[in-house]
Amino acid sequence: MSPLCRLNGIGIYVPDKILSNHDLEKIIDTSDEWITVRTGIKRRRKAAPGQNTSDLALMACRNLFSNARLGIAPNDITHIIFASITPDSICPSTACNLSAKLGIPHVPALDFNAACSGFLYGLMLANGLVAAQPDAKVLLVAADILTSRVNWEDRGTCVLFGDGAGATVVTNHAAGRGEQDFSATLEDLSVGADSQGGPCLTAGIGGNTSAPYKLGDRVTENFFIQMDGREVFKHAVRNMSAASAGMLERNNVTIDSLECLIPHQANARILEAVAKKLNIPDDKLFINVQEYGNTSAVSLLIAMHDAYAQKRLSKGNKTLLTTFGAGFTWGSALLAIE
Ligand code: ACO
């Protein structure tokens, strides 16, 4: 299959504040042991008061553009697409807030929501843009402050999530590779959905449009993330495994020739179950959920960034990404590292 688009560089940002499992023991009825055994998570980052989603994204973009070898500056960007389930506000969009902060206020910018699958859905959108406009340079951003949308009295969900941001620039494959450190071509991508799974993972936030909040209403549980953890677990393993197996098969990629599997970092047990179903050995599975918790759409960007820094993604090799999130949504992508 001929390559689709190119990913140029990765910038990430996580807030300074670290919330360890032991910190959580002091505010809810939980234990480091329970969280570690059930999820693999040891710590997560928490945005500072006053920091919003576009602020995190701005820091990730600065880290991306500050690498001189990238050869792309904010002024070169033609579109901004922004994956988030915790936008700054409904309007203006977080993408527009980011474009203002980056000093490129005239660049077309929009938000989209595919929950934890946001990065791979974003690649689908960016790939379409650079196919239609071959000189486009699409800033694909994901950022979330999930710690602002969990119910800190619900121990079944609040221990799982963390905050962060990530960004990359997507260009047409024919535009050629620059001098940047990280560069990869997208060889294949598939995304899927099953909206029957919607009720298993919800966050009402501003209220239901059919029953809108009125001034003075009290915030209720459905404002926050609510989840049927067991159902989500089952569907996450099933769909990430099936999407990944299909991706490998249709591209004739054997497990031996695959360098790394990077799944959405939801929970170490989910990731290990996916790798097991695919017969992918432990040393090819990348996990960093212990450091950040589940950062939703950002998790693949942070994981790719860390895997690259740890020399787990090397030139000429293939990496498989896979994801699953609320909706339900899922996807899989095959990257060739350049
Ligand atoms: N600390 C201590 N005990 C807890 C905690 C906690 N933080 N949370 C729940 N428990 C208790 C429950 O109250 C219950 O107690 P009980 O037996 O006395 O009633 C017991 O632990 C078992 O609860 P379950 O919910 O059945 O535990 P389970 O083994 O299913 O693990 C978990 C829960 C970790 C949420 C698991 O279902 C899971 O990982 N699901 C996937 C969820 C996920 O990753 N979602 C992320 C969003 S979607 C995505 O990114 C893929």
Side-chain angles (χ1 to χ4, degrees):
M1 198 170 287
S2 59
L4 303 170
C5 55
R6 171 174 286 107
L7 284 70
N8 304 268
I10 299 175
I12 66 159
Y13 172 76
V14 290
D16 294 336
K17 168 86 180 160
I18 297 174
L19 257 189
S20 70
N21 292 348
H22 294 297
D23 293 329
L24 294 182
E25 284 173 349
K26 294 175 197 144
I27 55 174
I28 44 162
D29 180 13
T30 191
S31 67
D32 174 50
E33 190 197 354
W34 192 97
I35 301 171
T36 306
V37 169
R38 304 282 176 129
T39 72
I41 299 166
K42 297 298 284 183
R43 56 195 73 82
R44 69 287 291 144
R45 301 298 180 106
K46 190 175 187 314
Q51 229 177 0
N52 63 21
T53 302
S54 60
D55 292 327
L56 268 53
L58 176 66
M59 298 300 285
C61 290
R62 283 191 179 147
N63 289 336
L64 171 70
F65 291 120
S66 68
N67 184 338
R69 283 195 297 276
L70 179 64
I72 300 170
N75 279 326
D76 299 320
I77 295 301
T78 57
H79 307 76
I80 300 176
I81 59 174
F82 200 123
S84 186
I85 52 171
T86 54
D88 291 351
S89 56
I90 298 299
C91 62
S93 69
T94 316
C96 282
N97 290 343
L98 175 65
S99 75
K101 288 174 182 174
L102 280 170
I104 47 172
H106 302 297
V107 169
L110 64 87
D111 290 359
F112 66 96
N113 173 352
C116 299
S117 303
F119 179 64
L120 291 192
Y121 270 65
L123 271 184
M124 171 185 74
L125 299 174
N127 185 57
L129 283 167
V130 300
Q133 186 182 324
D135 62 350
K137 291 184 170 60
V138 180
L139 183 60
L140 170 56
V141 189
D144 267 307
I145 302 185
L146 286 162
T147 61
S148 69
R149 298 300 187 208
V150 292
N151 175 358
W152 287 100
E153 292 177 22
D154 175 7
R155 65 180 181 170
T157 55
C158 72
V159 302
L160 301 176
F161 300 101
D163 305 335
T168 185
V169 179
V170 178
T171 55
N172 189 291
H173 174 254
R177 190 203 195 287
E179 295 302 311
Q180 67 272 16
D181 297 329
F182 175 83
S183 180
T185 54
L186 178 65
E187 301 235 306
D188 196 6
L189 171 76
S190 77
V191 295
D194 178 2
S195 49
Q196 293 176 92
C200 293
L201 183 46
T202 60
I205 311 296
N208 189 317
T209 44
S210 65
Y213 274 91
K214 295 186 298 301
L215 205 58
D217 278 355
R218 289 170 67 89
V219 167
T220 54
E221 280 179 344
N222 67 7
F223 182 91
F224 302 104
I225 293 172
Q226 293 183 292
M227 181 179 65
D228 180 339
R230 293 200 166 187
E231 277 301 301
V232 172
F233 193 109
K234 228 168 43 192
H235 284 87
V237 173
R238 187 181 301 156
N239 288 299
M240 284 199 281
S241 309
S244 300
M247 180 62 58
L248 293 175
E249 193 182 330
R250 80 175 189 219
N251 288 281
N252 297 316
V253 175
T254 61
I255 303 296
D256 281 349
S257 65
L258 186 73
E259 184 178 31
C260 195
L261 168 67
I262 308 184
H264 161 52
Q265 305 288 310
N267 172 325
R269 283 195 302 147
I270 293 179
L271 277 53
E272 285 156 4
V274 170
K276 193 168 171 208
K277 270 180 172 274
L278 295 168
N279 289 318
I280 292 184
D282 290 351
D283 62 348
K284 293 193 177 197
L285 170 64
F286 187 79
I287 301 184
N288 67 355
V289 71
Q290 68 278 4
E291 297 299 325
Y292 307 105
N294 180 344
T295 56
S296 192
V298 191
S299 92
L300 281 180
L301 279 157
I302 296 179
M304 284 161 62
H305 175 275
D306 286 7
Y308 184 72
Q310 293 168 28
K311 306 206 182 314
R312 300 277 302 268
L313 310 183
S314 46
K315 197 172 168 168
N317 283 327
K318 292 193 195 303
T319 289
L320 183 65
L321 308 178
T322 188
T323 195
F324 182 83
F328 292 137
T329 54
W330 61 83
S332 183
L334 189 64
L335 296 183
I337 310 301
E338 296 186 307

